[in-house]
């Protein structure tokens, strides 16, 4: 039986205090020819030739929906001569959901996600320079306003280093909303939040209010402003941007496939 190495550095969801769930070697030689999926007692399984895929803790790699299994199988099938684990974000998220290496329950996952509100990127504003302050207002205010209306909460923003004072009722509302998701989807939500450093942007993305490209751009607004003003290091900026988009897109897809399996399955198979 094949026991795949843990997902690569940067690919796994962050555990408490930001530490990665898995931080493994990045590549190994491809050892299989064909990838397929099959349905077992616990869900859908991934087959590498005639071997069943397993998690880093040697559990049978089983996912709850056919659509998610197809997406994971596609990650493995798209690997060329070398398996690049750091590109396989869906596999990593499934490993984390199955192994739960940080041993957190649903309540702990939800509270960790909501805690990001206290340091949410969209809530911290600058006074200077005026051009950046205006950019933040123009770009971030509409998303904050959408979230306040969508969830019937008060969020606000602040130029203080202490950030805004988020009402307890707002946190409780988000706790209640996140409780409607299952454990798998919550792992994906936390992963997206750690990429964007924003619960507000993450919920806007998962609720299909904004696109991945827009969410990533808004999460990097100050950096993009500085790049336009001073220029960027050749290649580095584009690489970081593509990586962030890939991780954010994978996390969002993971949430949708785990929480709306029947609807998304149909669409994915048709595509």
């Amino acid at each position: 039986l094949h026991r795949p190495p843990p997902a690569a550095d940067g690919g796994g969801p962050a555990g408490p205090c930001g530490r990665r769930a898995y931080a493994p070697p990045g590549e190994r030689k491809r050892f299989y020819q064909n990838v397929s999926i099959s349905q077992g007692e616990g869900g859908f399984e991934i087959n590498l030739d005639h071997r069943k895929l397993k998690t880093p803790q040697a559990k049978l790699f089983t996912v709850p929906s056919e659509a998610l299994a197809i997406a994971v199988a596609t990650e493995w099938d798209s690997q060329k001569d070398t398996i690049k684990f750091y590109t396989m974000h869906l596999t990593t998220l499934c490993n984390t959901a199955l192994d739960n290496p940080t041993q957190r329950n649903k309540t702990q996952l939800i509270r960790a996600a909501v805690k990001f509100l206290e340091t949410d990127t969209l809530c911290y504003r600058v006074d200077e320079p005026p051009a950046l302050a205006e950019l933040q207002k123009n770009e971030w205010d509409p998303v904050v306003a959408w979230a306040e209306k969508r969830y019937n909460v008060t969020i606000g923003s602040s130029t203080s280093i202490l950030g805004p004072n988020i009402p307890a009722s707002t946190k409780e509302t988000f706790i209640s909303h996140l409780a409607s998701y299952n454990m798998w989807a919550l792992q994906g939500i936390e992963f997206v939040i750690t990429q964007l450093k924003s619960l507000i942007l993450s919920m806007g993305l998962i609720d299909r209010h904004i696109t991945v490209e827009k969410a990533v751009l808004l999460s990097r607004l100050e950096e993009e402003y500085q790049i336009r003003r001073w220029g960027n290091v050749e290649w580095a900026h584009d690489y970081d941007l593509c990586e962030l988009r890939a991780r954010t897109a994978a996390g969002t897809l993971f949430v949708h496939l785990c929480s709306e399996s029947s609807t998304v399955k149909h669409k994915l198979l048709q595509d």
Side-chain angles (χ1 to χ4, degrees), residues 161-183:
I161 194 170
L162 299 176
N165 184 18
I166 306 292
S169 59
T170 296
K171 296 178 183 178
E172 290 302 320
T173 296
F174 278 110
I175 287 172
S176 297
H177 175 72
L178 291 173
S180 66
Y181 289 91
N182 60 44
M183 279 285 288

Side-chain angles (χ1 to χ4, degrees), residues 101-113:
T102 55
Q103 294 299 303
R104 287 179 296 167
N105 59 30
K106 186 172 182 176
T107 298
Q108 289 171 316
L109 276 173
I110 291 171
R111 294 202 174 275

Side-chain angles (χ1 to χ4, degrees), residues 200-221:
I200 300 169
L201 283 176
S202 299
M203 298 318 300
L205 181 55
I206 290 164
D207 278 356
R208 298 183 174 91
H209 175 67
I210 53 177
T211 64
V212 169
E213 290 78 11
K214 182 72 170 178
V216 168
L217 180 63
L218 292 177
S219 75
R220 293 164 52 96
L221 197 63

Side-chain angles (χ1 to χ4, degrees), residues 227-247:
I227 287 169
R228 289 194 197 116
R229 187 176 183 188
W230 303 108
N232 66 300
V233 178
E234 190 173 3
W235 298 111
H237 168 257
D238 292 339
Y239 178 81
D240 289 346
L241 186 61
C242 287
E243 275 294 292
L244 184 54
R245 281 178 179 168
R247 292 193 297 270

Side-chain angles (χ1 to χ4, degrees), residues 26-99:
E27 301 182 6
R28 67 169 291 187
K29 184 176 174 59
R30 177 166 170 158
F31 55 87
Y32 54 90
Q33 293 295 318
N34 300 305
V35 184
S36 62
I37 65 172
S38 56
Q39 189 165 12
E41 291 184 7
F44 293 88
E45 302 164 1
I46 310 296
N47 308 301
L48 304 178
D49 292 333
H50 301 295
R51 289 170 287 192
K52 297 288 186 185
L53 187 62
K54 287 199 167 187
T55 71
Q57 292 183 12
K59 296 177 183 175
L60 182 64
F61 190 102
T62 307
V63 300
S65 76
E66 186 178 13
L68 182 56
I70 291 171
V72 170
T74 300
E75 282 190 334
W76 285 88
D77 196 43
S78 65
Q79 304 302 306
K80 305 302 182 186
D81 296 333
T82 303
I83 307 170
K84 299 180 178 178
F85 294 102
Y86 52 84
T87 67
M88 302 169 73
H89 306 306
L90 292 173
T91 299
T92 299
L93 283 161
C94 291
N95 280 335
T96 303
L98 287 165
D99 285 348

